[in-house]
């Protein structure tokens, strides 16, 4: 089960996993939950991010969107959930493929507009990769995965990105699914930059990282 | 091949396609070998054929030489290609995923105007005003031509493949939205296109499904790159933001990108269009034709690009390079556009094309004009062939490509 501190944050954040979308936790008002952020998240970055995310979607997680018909389930019952992912090296996913940012932002905007909980994340060096030796042996590191509970969307993203490997797995909790090994990313400046505009800023992916993860303290 | 490329000589007229949507379907037409004779004989009359098509509320607009055409295809063949009974191995998962994506309708509430439009239009005077009107008019026509083709495909495929049919219908929704938005833009300039009239009055050009796939894929993707490049450039340089329509481009062009993905899925479902030597030759041919057409066209209208603070050639090269990188994820071969020689060839084509246009505008007799054009046309053709024959880059989707096992992700 997820740590209580993180759970209390969930209901008003747009990126709660499905199984937590229920009313059980909606009683805690958003502004307060900020203070409940586990310090294990550590970095200033994580907490400032969490703040940003909270302010992004003022809606209560209670709102169940019409096209998601999962039947309500009490949050204390742990039922494994399936996570679909695409993975490739970080350079491809975050640097070369930077216009990918537009798509993720577009989706996050839409979820906000329609009171849908976020169900997709970018995970840098995800721990679940250990379960996929066939993938890791073909993968440059550090790797970045796009993870979602929405299988068809991942199928679509595979069509778009093409040069990525795809698979899926089950996990009991969101934290477990999105656990990662901390790593510092650095990208060389591109040798030729043909665009008449600047690159998206380093770190554009931060709004899409997992909300809070205990694994980062490891 | 040479003959079909020759047809490129004609399209590059000064009033041509300003932006992607233009490129979208008119390019298709220019590439069709069967069109060549028609175009060659119709050389200087092409423009008159489009004259009576628009009704303007106030001002008269100068007629364009080549207004985008409307397209039609072999619907029976399309039905065969996507009939789920006949083709049991169609990757319906990809189509269903795409359908989901189109149903999501990211831009449902995006195309809402504000008063900035009218104000910006009123401020715009002189040649810039004219160039913007032309931009809106031709973009609108081209988006609308996409609407008509997709709409009809949606209708025709309903029985044999309801999923593919619905995607076409939803794409026609997007195109209609774009066309409508552009037409509203025209109203800021006290103009309007009568789209109902256009539908009936226009001639429809026939194009085989296979070529619709290649060309439409490219034009949707190049359209994405053009729009996003303009958007990001203007975001970084807001002083050139002369008309608010550009602010809508970021979300707008995500539609184009998704449309391109759909054609990608259509081609993957018909690997015979991707996996043999003919497919490689056609892929290169379509890439070259689309890139050259855009480059020559844009170089004819540098005022527009300079008007929004862009260097036309740099802008185009960026768009070509990015489109080519994207296209390499589906076409089995693409051009080596990052080789500096490719740009040198494009630049030589621009020079020759300028000379051709100068001959066209001179006061010589038609016969003399044609004689003067011969060496220029042959020079252009030989540049095109040389560019076509440059060593290509093997490419393709990793779901199909032979090189996939060697890839490191």
């Amino acid at each position: 089960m997820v740590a209580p501190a993180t759970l209390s944050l969930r209901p008003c954040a747009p990126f709660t996993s499905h199984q937590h979308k229920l009313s059980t936790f909606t009683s805690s008002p958003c502004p307060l939950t900020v203070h409940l952020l586990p310090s294990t998240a550590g970095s200033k970055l994580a907490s400032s991010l969490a703040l940003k995310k909270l302010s992004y979607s003022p809606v209560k997680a209670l709102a169940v969107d019409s096209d998601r018909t999962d039947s309500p389930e009490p949050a204390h019952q742990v039922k494994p959930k399936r996570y679909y992912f695409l993975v490739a090296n970080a350079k491809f996913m975050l640097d070369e493929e930077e216009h990918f940012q537009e798509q993720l932002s577009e989706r996050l905007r839409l979820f906000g507009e329609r009171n849908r909980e976020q169900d997709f994340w970018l995970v840098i060096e995800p721990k679940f990769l250990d379960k996929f030796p066939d993938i890791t042996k073909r993968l440059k590191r550090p790797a970045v995965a796009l993870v979602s509970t929405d299988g068809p969307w991942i199928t679509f993203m595979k069509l778009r990105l093409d040069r990525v490997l795809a698979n899926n797995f089950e996990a009991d909790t969101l934290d477990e699914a999105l656990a990662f090994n901390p790593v510092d990313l650095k990208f060389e400046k591109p040798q030729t930059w043909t665009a008449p505009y600047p690159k998206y800023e380093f770190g554009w992916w931060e709004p899409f990282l997992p909300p809070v993860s205990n694994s980062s303290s490891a | 091949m040479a003959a079909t490329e020759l047809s490129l000589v004609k399209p590059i007229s000064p009033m041509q396609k300003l932006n992607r949507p233009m490129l979208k379907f008119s390019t298709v037409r220019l590439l069709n070998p069967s069109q060549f004779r028609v175009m060659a004989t119709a050389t200087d009359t092409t423009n008159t054929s489009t004259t009576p098509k628009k009704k303007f509320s106030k001002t008269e607009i100068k007629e364009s030489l080549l207004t985008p055409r409307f397209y039609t295809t072999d619907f029976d063949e399309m039905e065969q290609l996507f009939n789920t009974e006949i083709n049991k191995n169609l990757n319906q998962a990809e189509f269903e995923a795409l359908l989901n994506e189109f149903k999501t309708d990211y831009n449902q509430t995006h195309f809402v105007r504000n008063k900035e439009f009218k104000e910006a239009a009123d401020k715009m005077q002189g040649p810039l005003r004219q160039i913007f009107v032309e931009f809106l008019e031709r973009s609108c026509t081209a988006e609308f031509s996409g609407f008509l083709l997709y709409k009809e495909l949606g209708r025709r495929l309903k029985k044999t493949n309801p999923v593919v049919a619905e995607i076409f219908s939803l794409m026609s929704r997007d195109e209609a939205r774009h066309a409508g938005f552009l037409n509203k833009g025209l109203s800021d300039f006290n103009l309007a296109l009568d789209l109902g009239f256009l539908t009936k009055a226009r001639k429809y050009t026939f194009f085989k499904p296979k070529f619709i796939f290649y060309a439409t894929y490219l034009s949707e993707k190049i359209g994405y790159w053009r729009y996003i490049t303009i958007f990001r450039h203007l975001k970084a340089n807001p002083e050139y933001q002369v008309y608010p329509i550009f602010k809508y481009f970021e979300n707008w062009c995500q539609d184009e990108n998704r449309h391109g993905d759909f054609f990608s899925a259509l081609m993957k479902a018909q690997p015979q269009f991707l996996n043999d030597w003919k497919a490689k030759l056609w892929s290169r041919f379509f890439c070259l034709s689309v890139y050259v057409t855009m480059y020559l066209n844009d170089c004819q209208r540098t005022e527009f690009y300079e008007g929004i603070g862009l260097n036309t050639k740099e802008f185009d090269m960026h768009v070509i390079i990015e489109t080519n990188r994207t296209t390499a994820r589906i076409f089995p071969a693409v051009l080596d556009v990052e080789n500096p020689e490719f740009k040198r060839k494009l630049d030589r084509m621009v020079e020759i094309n300028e000379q051709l246009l100068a001959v066209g505008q001179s006061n010589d007799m038609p016969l003399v004009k044609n004689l003067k054009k011969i060496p220029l046309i042959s020079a252009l053709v030989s540049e095109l062939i040389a560019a076509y024959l440059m060593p290509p880059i093997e490419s393709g989707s990793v779901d199909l490509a032979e090189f996939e096992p060697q890839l490191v992700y």
Side-chain angles (χ1 to χ4, degrees):
Chain A
M1 201 57 224
V2 197
T6 44
L7 263 181
S8 65
L9 156 76
R10 291 263 146 73
C12 43
F15 35 74
T16 323
S17 81
H18 262 161
Q19 62 206 103
H20 299 134
K21 77 161 64 158
L22 300 172
S23 47
T24 334
F25 298 104
T26 47
S27 53
S28 65
C30 287
L32 283 178
T33 54
V34 175
H35 305 292
L36 299 175
L37 268 171
S39 56
T40 47
S43 69
K44 247 191 314 186
L45 178 67
S47 34
S48 70
L49 267 176
L51 273 166
K52 219 193 288 172
K53 284 169 178 169
L54 283 170
S55 61
Y56 185 83
S57 168
V59 275
K60 295 210 171 153
L62 176 59
V64 179
D65 38 77
S66 53
D67 53 336
R68 312 243 131 190
T69 49
D70 326 17
S71 58
E73 46 188 80
H76 56 264
Q77 254 178 32
V78 173
K79 206 175 147 195
K81 219 169 168 43
R82 190 155 290 280
Y83 293 84
Y84 301 83
F85 71 89
L86 302 174
V87 68
N89 64 81
K91 171 91 178 144
F92 174 80
M93 294 290 272
L94 306 179
D95 192 47
E96 294 168 7
E97 199 64 21
E98 61 155 20
H99 50 282
F100 179 30
Q101 184 271 119
E102 295 151 24
Q103 247 184 317
L104 297 184
S105 299
E106 179 190 46
R107 196 163 173 83
L108 202 57
R109 162 185 65 81
L110 183 99
F111 277 37
E113 285 169 7
R114 300 195 183 164
N115 299 343
R116 258 172 86 171
E117 286 175 73
Q118 186 176 342
D119 62 5
F120 61 97
W121 303 268
L122 282 174
V123 189
I124 301 166
E125 274 298 309
K127 286 187 172 173
F128 66 73
L129 282 180
D130 298 342
K131 289 185 250 175
F132 298 95
D134 285 349
I135 285 183
T136 48
K137 73 180 179 207
R138 304 196 57 188
L139 202 55
K140 267 182 269 179
R141 309 302 275 263
V144 171
L146 175 66
V147 184
S148 176
T149 51
D150 186 337
W153 185 66
I154 290 291
T155 303
F156 166 71
M157 289 305 298
K158 167 77 178 100
L159 176 68
R160 165 68 59 87
L161 296 170
D162 194 69
R163 272 130 172 86
V164 290
L165 294 163
N167 214 322
N168 62 78
F169 61 92
E170 279 196 339
D172 287 339
T173 66
L174 186 67
D175 275 2
E176 185 195 323
L178 305 183
F180 58 89
N181 297 313
V183 62
D184 274 337
L185 292 178
K186 242 181 227 157
F187 300 123
E188 301 280 304
K189 281 218 161 137
Q191 289 184 329
T192 48
W193 182 248
T194 58
Y197 49 75
K199 258 182 107 67
Y200 289 124
E201 263 175 61
F202 185 91
W204 63 257
W205 48 86
E206 281 161 10
F208 312 104
L209 295 178
V212 170
S213 175
N214 294 328
S215 56
S216 60
S217 63
Chain B
M1 197 62 68
T4 58
E5 280 173 343
L6 242 176
S7 66
L8 280 167
V9 176
K10 179 56 198 162
I12 318 313
S13 42
M15 299 303 285
Q16 239 214 329
K17 305 162 273 201
L18 196 51
N19 65 344
R20 181 282 318 186
M22 300 288 128
L23 199 66
K24 190 165 188 170
F25 288 98
S26 50
T27 310
V28 175
R29 162 174 169 260
L30 307 169
L31 306 174
N32 188 337
S34 65
Q35 289 296 310
F36 175 61
R37 263 166 305 148
V38 183
M39 296 185 49
T41 50
T43 331
D44 288 316
T45 53
T46 329
N47 51 338
T48 55
S49 66
T50 57
T51 311
K53 300 202 170 100
K54 291 155 225 156
K55 223 166 61 182
F56 297 107
S57 52
K58 283 189 181 169
T59 336
E60 263 301 305
I61 228 178
K62 208 163 73 185
E63 186 50 62
S64 309
L65 285 177
L66 273 166
T67 323
R69 291 268 166 113
F70 288 176
Y71 283 86
T72 186
T73 187
D74 184 339
F75 293 103
D76 293 334
E77 189 188 333
M78 280 281 190
E79 271 175 1
Q80 293 271 315
L81 288 173
F82 298 105
N83 189 325
T84 41
E85 297 286 303
I86 303 173
N87 307 281
K88 300 247 189 262
N89 57 347
L90 278 187
N91 184 356
Q92 284 290 115
E94 265 182 0
F95 290 131
E96 274 155 23
L98 275 160
L99 178 57
N100 243 2
E101 204 56 12
F102 283 110
K103 273 187 181 164
T104 301
D105 199 1
Y106 289 90
N107 286 332
Q108 197 173 33
T109 57
H110 177 61
F111 293 97
V112 179
R113 284 156 49 85
N114 55 37
K115 63 180 170 59
E116 281 179 43
F117 281 77
K118 182 72 185 153
E119 289 165 5
D122 289 343
K123 259 188 239 159
M124 227 184 275
Q125 293 303 333
L128 192 63
R129 186 178 172 90
Q130 187 55 40
I131 224 164
F132 262 83
V133 166
E134 191 205 342
F135 159 76
L136 292 170
E137 178 215 20
R138 302 178 67 81
S139 305
C140 178
T141 312
E143 294 274 10
F144 189 66
S145 96
F147 159 76
L148 290 174
L149 179 71
Y150 296 163
K151 183 86 185 162
E152 184 62 10
L153 281 162
R155 204 177 65 79
R156 293 292 295 263
L157 298 176
K158 219 175 218 164
K159 277 194 195 125
T160 49
N161 194 328
V163 174
V164 167
E166 194 176 354
I167 296 173
F168 271 120
S169 301
L170 292 172
M171 295 201 324
S172 75
R173 166 204 69 196
D174 295 339
E175 301 285 23
R177 208 177 259 161
H178 300 165
F181 195 67
L182 287 157
N183 213 5
K184 285 263 176 62
L186 277 168
S187 72
D188 299 326
F189 296 87
N190 305 318
L191 297 166
L193 279 177
D194 184 342
L195 298 174
F197 181 74
L198 276 187
T199 311
K200 291 194 195 108
R202 270 286 166 80
K203 268 191 205 156
Y204 287 75
T205 304
F206 176 81
F207 219 57
K208 268 179 88 63
K210 173 176 159 177
F211 301 125
I212 292 268
F213 297 154
Y214 294 135
T216 315
Y217 172 84
L218 275 173
S219 57
E220 295 284 4
K221 289 295 183 184
I222 211 168
Y224 163 75
W225 281 111
R226 290 175 64 85
Y227 278 31
I228 198 66
T229 303
I230 291 175
F231 176 86
R232 290 180 67 179
H233 155 73
L234 289 177
K235 199 169 184 206
N237 304 283
E239 67 275 23
Y240 292 108
Q241 188 76 259
V242 287
Y243 187 63
I245 206 156
F246 302 120
K247 292 181 192 164
Y248 291 72
F249 275 16
E250 187 183 33
N251 291 7
W252 183 328
C253 68
Q254 308 304 325
D255 287 343
E256 320 294 359
N257 212 348
R258 276 185 284 268
H259 294 180
D261 295 332
F262 173 56
F263 285 99
S264 190
L266 288 176
M267 286 186 274
K268 280 166 88 174
Q270 301 295 335
Q272 74 274 18
F273 296 152
L274 294 173
N275 61 12
D276 62 6
W277 60 272
K278 278 187 290 185
K280 288 185 180 178
L281 293 180
W282 279 117
S283 295
R284 288 158 62 191
F285 173 72
F286 274 86
C287 285
L288 181 66
S289 309
V290 168
Y291 303 159
V292 168
T293 308
M294 178 181 80
Y295 201 80
L296 297 193
N297 272 317
D298 288 351
C299 286
Q300 295 288 313
R301 46 187 66 255
T302 50
E303 315 93 308
F304 176 78
Y305 298 97
E306 283 161 12
I308 56 172
L310 284 166
N311 172 315
T312 310
K313 286 185 172 180
E314 281 174 15
F315 166 74
D316 271 31
M317 272 322 290
H318 172 67
V319 169
I320 288 171
I321 288 168
E322 291 291 0
T323 305
N324 205 57
R325 282 182 192 164
T326 306
T327 305
R329 293 187 200 163
I330 182 69
F331 282 22
V334 293
L335 304 173
D336 187 9
V337 299
E338 290 174 68
N339 180 339
E341 183 51 32
F342 186 78
K343 185 176 185 299
R344 283 197 284 272
K345 286 187 161 54
L346 287 179
D347 287 334
R348 284 198 290 270
M349 289 181 219
V350 171
E351 284 172 31
I352 300 167
N353 188 50
E354 279 164 1
Q355 293 169 23
L356 264 174
L357 285 167
V359 172
Q361 283 157 5
S362 67
N363 295 324
D364 294 330
M365 287 159 53
L367 177 69
V368 178
K369 275 189 189 179
N370 284 340
L371 287 173
K372 281 185 177 169
K373 276 181 185 172
I374 290 169
L376 293 170
I377 288 173
S378 66
L380 189 50
V381 169
S382 66
E383 285 296 344
L384 282 163
I385 293 172
Y388 182 75
L389 294 177
M390 279 174 68
I393 296 171
E394 294 282 305
S395 58
S397 163
V398 296
D399 292 354
L400 302 168
E402 284 164 20
F403 57 76
E404 198 280 335
Q406 285 88 51
L407 267 191
V408 181
Y409 288 84

